[in-house]
Amino acid sequence: MGSLAGIGMGLAVIGAGIGIGNIGAKAMEAIARQPEAVGDIRANMILTAALVEGAALIAIVMAFLVG
Amino acid sequence: MKFSKILFALIFGLILSFSNAAQAGGGGGKFDAKATAFHHIADANVYSIGPWSFPLPCILYNKDTGKWSVFSSGKFNLVGHHGDGADIVDGYVLNGGTVNRITNPTPEMLEGHMHISDHSHDAKDHNHDHHLFGHETKMVDGKEKEVSYFTKGGKKFYLEDKTAWDFGVFGGDFTSFYDFSITKNVVSMILVCLFMMFTFFRVAKLYKTNDGKAPTGIQGFFEPMVVFIQDEVAKPFLGNKWKQFLPFLLTIFFFILGLNLFGQVPFLGGSNVSGSLSVTLVLAIASFLVVNLSGNAHYWEHVVWMPGVPAWLKIVILTPVEILGVFIKPVTLMLRLFANITAGHMVMVIFVSLIFIAKEGAGEGIAWLTSAGSVLLTMFMMAIELLVAFIQAFVFTILTAAYLNASTEEAHDHDHGDSHEHAAAH
């Protein structure tokens, strides 16, 4: 049972990884296009990444509960 | 040039001390990396710095007998550096740094103070690899569970489990006594609070004496951070109400940052305060109360009865989801801080554990080599954790500000797209 929960955690982390990777990539692109907006872009990037991370955390906790 | 010399000395000093640890440890018994990691990130009733253990006050209340027990954890007769106590006090024992209750105590155990060991030899004779407590698997409520026990007079006495991370809400363990002890985390928190009060009163005083002049000393260190929170978090999210909530946001930011950084200081016990669910729970409750108590009619209307949506849709899905969302927001705040800080601490313990794993698997020579790699990995991790300490403090603050923005926004803001720079926040 524990290993199944581990797979679930891994899947959740893959999803969050793709999501946060996209956020980072797009933020870098945006900064390259408009370097003067770096402050705003960085703050919003961290905020959005935190929200994506929240979904992954809920999945990890659920995996703990089931396992 | 000078910096690289310091770095070199630091790395070699660490390698030497790590290898010393590798030689000292692992004398007997199998090394259990998972148990070591969990033991090191857990809260404790002793404060251990290196080989020294400092006893802390225990304040315990037994629900069944109604008895208050107030004593120093030194009364448990600490042995070795695992935080085990050789004595029983009022039906409690100290197991791995934490107070556990005996589930089947004899009446003598409940009243006072006795040795766990049957032999009357001095507790100092115990070498530190000798564990007082054994573990065995037992069937509890149809589930296999690992329980700790000790043997006295040929009879097995079982220990109650620690409170689990879910506080018993999801079927985890929950202790049957109330523990108000001043634990390691509480001591660390008090130290951080005193330090913050000292520095911030100093900064405030400097603002009075330096009025109209450039900041000096410690003032110059804190001003950019305060201005950063004010300009990047409070003003864009809270509009004209930023002055009202700035003190709360600054308090949350600097408190979390202080706790995160205190846990990163090497050789200071590495207390995992902001990686403790009880601490992040209280921080999340504070944020939840501020957000919801300052919520206006517009916010509650959107939560309970979203305008412009068919009634059946609201009843079936929208209102339940919105009400759930009100509670999920603080829960994710709590979990995010807890998980990030705990993961960081745990990774560092595992990197140090690599030395012991290598020693067990491949002998002392390989363990020396591993300690070099382990030092470098640990230093790299600590550099990343320094960044995480700032980011997590900032994320907690900015998310609180975003939730506050959602709950205090005025209705007419909806017509203006330009005031919605941060609309993604909710």
Side-chain angles (χ1 to χ4, degrees), chain B residues 367-399:
Chain B
W368 273 82
L369 283 176
T370 316
S371 59
S374 162
V375 164
L376 291 173
L377 277 175
T378 311
M379 286 182 78
F380 169 70
M381 226 22 237
M382 284 191 114
I384 289 193
E385 283 305 305
L386 218 54
L387 205 67
V388 169
F390 277 93
I391 289 179
Q392 287 310 318
F394 175 61
V395 161
F396 200 104
T397 319
I398 203 170
L399 282 175

Side-chain angles (χ1 to χ4, degrees), chain A residues 12-48:
Chain A
V13 171
I14 288 175
I18 293 170
I20 294 178
N22 273 339
I23 293 165
K26 293 286 174 191
M28 291 299 126
E29 275 176 27
I31 292 169
R33 269 170 207 240
Q34 224 169 340
E36 67 276 10
V38 60
D40 279 352
I41 293 169
R42 194 190 296 124
N44 278 309
M45 178 186 80
I46 292 176
L47 180 70
T48 326

Side-chain angles (χ1 to χ4, degrees), chain B residues 93-160:
Chain B
V93 289
L94 194 67
N95 174 17
T98 322
V99 173
N100 282 176
R101 197 173 151 195
I102 303 166
T103 50
N104 50 344
T106 59
E108 301 89 69
M109 284 177 181
L110 282 175
E111 294 302 323
H113 190 191
M114 61 166 82
H115 293 306
I116 288 177
S117 164
D118 290 322
H119 324 292
S120 54
H121 65 75
D122 190 0
K124 300 283 180 283
D125 290 351
H126 287 284
N127 90 50
H128 60 252
D129 292 314
H130 173 73
H131 280 276
L132 288 157
F133 302 102
H135 307 280
E136 66 175 29
T137 329
K138 210 180 158 194
M139 294 295 280
V140 181
D141 303 331
K143 265 189 184 174
E144 278 196 356
K145 221 170 138 189
E146 193 163 274
V147 287
S148 306
Y149 68 93
F150 64 90
T151 332
K152 186 173 169 65
K155 191 171 181 284
K156 270 185 183 170
F157 291 96
Y158 291 97
L159 304 185
E160 193 181 69

